[in-house]
Amino acid sequence: MTSQAEQKQTNPHDEWTQEWVVTEAEAGERLDKFVAESAEEGVSRTQVQEWIRTGAVTVNGATVKPNYRLEPGDVVAVTPPEPEDADIRPEPIPLHVVYEDGDVIVVDKPRGMVVHPAHGHASGTLVNALLHHCRDLSGINGRLRPGIVHRIDKDTSGLLMAAKNDLAHVSLSEQLKAHTVERAYIALVHGNLPHDQGTIDAPIGRDPHDRKKFAVTAGGKPSVTHFAVLERFGDYTLVRLQLETGRTHQIRVHMKYIGHPLAGDPVYGRAKTLPLDGQALHAVVLGFVHPRTGEALRFESPIPDDFQRILDMLRNR
């Protein structure tokens, strides 16, 4: 399962930049309207107009006016500025710390926890918890995302690393960019996969029919997921997935693309599924080179109880 579509990447090293390639169907739309309907934060059109005026929004790398009419192939990029009055407070939220030293911390994030604050959502996140626990996170990604090097979705559980200083942040980010970080997931998907193992090599970008979602699309960025079947339940399959790239919603989009969406996925899954609050996806392995010592570190996380109960139910039915 491969795609040879040519890729267009703007700001490839900026994880926080949102980017879209304008389709024929979207041509003629005003820039401010387009961004307001597309941005993950769900901001107002007035706020988007302010972003455009301050240069946070570009079209083909240049600033334009809010009423600019989009043309097919235009690349719209948005790097939302952090609110000037951002006040992200430390909160005594329990953390399952797997590893910690003066440079890095690895935590086992529960399903349901948001990784970092966004506009209008400044509490109850992993960052709030980390600020209370560490008080010395890297500031490279700004006040809303201190120490955060990579993300996993709110309803995905499992291992996540954060940097406690800028040296660690740069090193971990470079390892992610070079695809040398080991990231493995366990997922329960619908259907019976026809192959015991395989690779999904298909570019991921904004869904042309719903810009709040992602999809396999010719205008997307290179995305590679390796899978291996662990257990079959007839109408469900337990798989282990290895990420070669780390696009937003990559596993969820790729599994839907091959006709086996994740059980419990509220966005890309099926209406009738198993009783699980969120997608059955767990980040089970995280491995990287320590940014200061050069030591190879590798951590594993057990499947959480609610996920395990689903598996036990399938085995005993």
Side-chain angles (χ1 to χ4, degrees):
M1 287 161 287
T2 61
S3 172
Q4 301 299 323
E6 292 187 8
Q7 306 304 317
K8 185 175 185 66
Q9 296 188 71
T10 298
N11 301 320
H13 308 317
D14 186 354
E15 181 184 358
W16 314 108
T17 295
Q18 299 173 56
E19 181 184 290
W20 309 272
V21 178
V22 177
T23 65
E24 292 282 352
E26 295 162 338
E29 190 169 332
R30 280 178 57 118
L31 175 63
D32 54 358
K33 181 175 183 291
F34 177 91
V35 174
E37 293 177 351
S38 304
E40 288 182 351
E41 288 80 5
V43 296
S44 68
R45 194 159 163 180
T46 300
Q47 180 64 70
V48 169
Q49 290 170 352
E50 180 62 24
W51 287 358
I52 295 171
R53 279 191 285 270
T54 58
V57 179
T58 62
V59 177
N60 303 323
T63 56
V64 295
K65 294 182 178 180
N67 64 354
Y68 171 82
R69 296 288 176 175
L70 296 169
E71 298 181 2
D74 278 349
V75 178
V76 179
V78 183
T79 305
E82 295 179 2
E84 292 185 3
D85 61 347
D87 187 15
I88 309 304
R89 299 179 181 276
E91 297 178 23
I93 301 170
L95 277 178
H96 180 187
V97 178
V98 176
Y99 174 86
E100 182 179 11
D101 61 22
D103 296 298
V104 65
I105 181 170
V106 177
V107 299
D108 199 339
K109 186 189 83 68
R111 179 182 293 107
M113 175 181 275
V114 175
V115 170
H116 63 78
H119 295 268
H121 187 87
S123 65
T125 72
L126 178 64
V127 162
N128 296 108
L130 286 172
L131 286 173
H132 182 270
H133 179 86
C134 300
R135 304 182 186 275
D136 59 348
L137 298 172
S138 164
I140 285 180
N141 276 330
R143 286 173 292 177
L144 292 181
R145 298 177 287 265
I148 299 301
V149 181
H150 67 123
R151 296 172 285 184
I152 56 178
D153 296 336
K154 171 189 172 185
D155 291 326
T156 298
S157 56
L159 297 170
L160 188 78
M161 60 186 175
K164 299 179 75 174
N165 53 60
D166 290 356
L167 178 149
H169 201 124
V170 170
S171 173
L172 296 175
S173 296
E174 288 296 320
Q175 292 180 53
L176 283 164
K177 185 175 69 175
H179 309 311
T180 59
V181 175
E182 181 184 4
R183 287 176 292 172
Y185 292 75
I186 299 293
L188 186 67
V189 303
H190 285 275
N192 194 348
L193 269 71
H195 307 290
D196 288 338
Q197 60 185 16
T199 295
I200 308 167
D201 184 352
I204 292 176
R206 290 284 170 174
D207 188 328
H209 306 294
D210 183 349
R211 293 197 296 265
K212 299 292 186 183
K213 297 166 63 176
F214 293 84
V216 170
T217 172
K221 295 181 179 180
S223 307
V224 179
T225 305
H226 307 285
F227 70 86
V229 172
L230 297 178
E231 195 170 353
R232 299 180 186 276
F233 304 103
D235 48 352
Y236 292 94
T237 305
L238 186 67
V239 295
R240 180 185 177 94
L241 302 123
Q242 195 90 18
L243 287 182
E244 191 170 309
T245 55
R247 308 305 176 199
T248 302
H249 299 175
Q250 177 172 319
I251 289 174
R252 300 164 67 187
V253 171
H254 270 173
M255 296 313 294
K256 177 185 178 182
Y257 175 65
I258 66 171
H260 297 278
L262 270 60
D265 191 331
V267 177
Y268 302 98
R270 299 176 181 174
K272 293 184 179 180
T273 187
L274 297 167
L276 191 66
D277 187 16
Q279 60 268 7
L281 182 61
H282 179 65
V284 68
V285 173
L286 178 64
F288 56 91
V289 173
H290 192 281
R292 190 177 300 273
T293 69
E295 179 186 2
L297 301 177
R298 188 178 187 273
F299 306 97
E300 294 192 32
S301 167
I303 293 176
D305 291 343
D306 58 347
F307 196 157
Q308 188 62 55
R309 283 194 294 270
I310 294 295
L311 296 179
D312 293 341
M313 178 190 73
L314 292 172
R315 288 172 183 140
N316 297 324
R317 63 181 179 176

